[in-house]
Structures are given as structure tokens and as C-alpha cells.
Amino acid sequence: MGVSYKGTVRNGVVVLPPEVKLPDGAAVDVIPEEVKTARHVPGTGARQAEKQRALDSLDAVFSEGRAPSWDGYDARAALYESYLAAKQFLEALPPEFHVPEIALDPDGEISLEWRAGAAGTFSVSVGASGELTYAGKFSPTTKTHGTEPFASQVPNVILDNLRRLVA
Amino acid sequence: MSDEPGVAGNIAAEEIVARYIFSSSHFSRDNNRVKHNAFMPAPDGKTSVFRTKGLERDAVWEIGEQVARGRSQPLHARADITAGEVAQAKVKVALSEPPPRHCNIEGWPTEKSAQKLIAIDLADAARLILRP
């Protein structure tokens, strides 16, 4: 159903206006304003549309993983801090790079993945504390992996590996 | 060990195991491929798979459907991979029953970045089969 209501959080409980009547047992989906804001990308053009699709995908992946065991096994729930850091990463990604495909890891971290041809893959998992865990396979025998801190700029190691992927 | 006919205790290199996929973000319908995230180990350090040797097509899907019902998650697809392909990625398939035919991909390194690299190899080797 496409019905939405605005409310506020008081002491950890969502309080809706008194005129909103919901039946007992009604399923609700709470999306914080800051998450909804993440869906909007100002600007125009193909790049902005691509980035918007990535942000929409990020939102969908985060929503799918908000309860534990979202993968049918024993995955941890998606980490909100990882979601926010992944959004920051997408915003900071220079326009020369395509936006990644987005998925969720069983530990609750958001995963970003770029593909080049049949054999090339580079992926970054975004940790809740801003740590980036990356792995890349550029050919059957050329591979790399490691970790990098993430503040506001995408680290050069990540950018260099992305260039290597499409080279 | 399972009593079902056609399933021996030892897992041959050419034997297929199936990773059932319940997350829409773990495969690409457009590119017909499994994403590496589908193979990443659970917090217990294992990736759950099932042997499908000797089963008819419907019976292979029924295993995933049973998991889906137990976990209240939709079954989208499965990734088939041989035990030999798993071994080439430097991890192994180990029998872990019950339930019947259940195995784990074990032997993952502790570093997450190294796990991702192995999961990429597994995803590259696997065949995506969409649920009919």
C-alpha cells in the first residue's frame, strides 16, 4: 500500500499523529527522513540518473536486509552506519567511474561491486566504522585485496584498482 | 551421513553442490550471474550448501523451498558449483548433516578481504539457475 504518515521518535518509540488509526497487527515500514533524503540527487544528465539508480538500489538493499537472516541463512541485519557510509562513498566517487552494483554481505555491511568483462571484478565492502574492505580479480591470476580507511574522499588505492579494472 | 540412495559420504570433485539464493541482491538476472556476496561465509565462518547428486530437478528445488519455508524468505535462484571448483578456490566442501545432504564450504581465511577474493572466484565458477 502506498500510504505514509509522518511521526516523531520519542524515547525510541515512533509516535504518530492522533488522527492516524492503524489496526492491531498492522505491518509498518519506518524510513527515517535522512534515508529518504538519500534518494534525491540534485542535477541532471546521464551521470546523475546513474547515481540516482545506485542510491535507489542502495535504499532497496538496505530495506531488504533490515531484519536478521535476510539471506535465508544466519546473516546479521544491515548496518545503518554502513548504509550511510556507502551513500557517502557513492557521492564521493569521481564521475569518471561507473557506479557499482550494490549488495549486502552476511555481516551486515553494504557491498559495492564493479565488473569488467567476464573475468574482472572489483568489490568494496563498507564497514560501519568507515573501513573499506576491498578485493579485486583482474584476470585469473592477477588479484589484490586489503583494507583502507574512508573519511570523505575515496582512497587512491580504490581508485587505482578501479582504473586497473577497466584498463 | 544421509541414507538417501545415490549419496555417498565422500564428495567427489565433480559432484555438484547448490547454494540456494534468497536475497535479490545476490544475483543479477540481467547478466545471468551469481554475485560473490552469495558465497560469503555467515558469521559462523561457513557457507551452507546442499548436495544434489541423484535428484530430479523438482527435488533439487524442493530442498531450497524447505529452507525458504523454514526461514520465511523467498527462494529466487540457486548457484551450482562442483566440489572441485570449490577446492580450486582454496576452500573445501565438508559434509554437515542433518539436514540430509547438507554441507558447508569451510576453511575460509579470517581476513574479510581474503574471503571476498575467494567468494569472487566461487561466483565466477558457479552457474546461476533461476527458480522456474
Side-chain angles (χ1 to χ4, degrees), chain A residues 30-164:
Chain A
V30 178
I31 303 176
E33 282 294 337
E34 54 198 304
V35 174
K36 286 202 280 187
T37 304
R39 293 171 171 165
H40 176 67
V41 179
T44 57
R47 173 64 183 181
Q48 291 302 335
E50 190 185 29
K51 191 179 276 190
Q52 184 65 63
R53 278 196 297 276
L55 290 170
D56 288 346
S57 175
L58 174 62
D59 194 38
V61 165
F62 178 68
S63 293
E64 185 189 73
R66 273 190 285 173
S69 299
W70 50 266
D71 66 345
Y73 302 99
D74 296 316
R76 294 188 179 127
L79 299 166
Y80 183 58
E81 297 80 1
S82 173
Y83 165 87
L84 291 178
K87 176 183 175 288
Q88 250 193 318
F89 185 104
L90 290 172
E91 299 287 5
L93 187 68
E96 71 180 278
F97 302 103
H98 281 293
V99 296
E101 291 184 51
I102 294 160
L104 200 53
D105 286 337
D107 61 3
E109 292 186 350
I110 298 289
S111 168
L112 313 173
E113 184 180 279
W114 293 261
R115 293 274 294 179
T121 301
F122 186 74
S123 175
V124 176
S125 292
V126 185
S129 58
E131 186 177 67
L132 303 175
T133 304
Y134 66 88
K137 180 180 178 184
F138 307 102
S139 77
T141 55
T142 313
K143 303 172 183 180
T144 187
H145 67 93
T147 57
E148 283 289 319
F150 174 58
S152 56
Q153 301 287 317
V154 178
N156 283 332
V157 171
I158 302 293
L159 298 179
D160 288 345
N161 279 306
L162 285 173
R163 289 189 188 99
R164 196 174 168 193

Side-chain angles (χ1 to χ4, degrees), chain B residues 30-107:
Chain B
D30 292 343
N31 299 315
N32 195 41
R33 71 178 183 90
V34 185
K35 294 186 186 176
H36 78 278
N37 315 86
F39 284 102
M40 287 293 284
D44 68 355
K46 298 169 185 171
T47 300
S48 177
V49 292
F50 284 86
R51 304 170 80 178
T52 59
K53 181 180 177 183
L55 294 178
E56 298 291 334
R57 191 187 77 156
D58 288 352
V60 174
W61 285 113
E62 180 53 29
I63 294 174
E65 295 288 1
Q66 282 178 16
V67 179
R69 286 193 289 273
R71 298 296 184 107
S72 300
Q73 294 289 339
L75 175 62
H76 295 291
R78 70 173 201 263
D80 279 0
I81 189 168
T82 68
E85 289 166 332
V86 172
Q88 281 176 13
K90 309 294 185 210
V91 278
K92 65 178 181 184
V93 177
L95 199 59
S96 179
E97 295 180 328
R101 295 176 174 270
H102 183 255
C103 301
N104 286 314
I105 298 178
E106 299 180 356

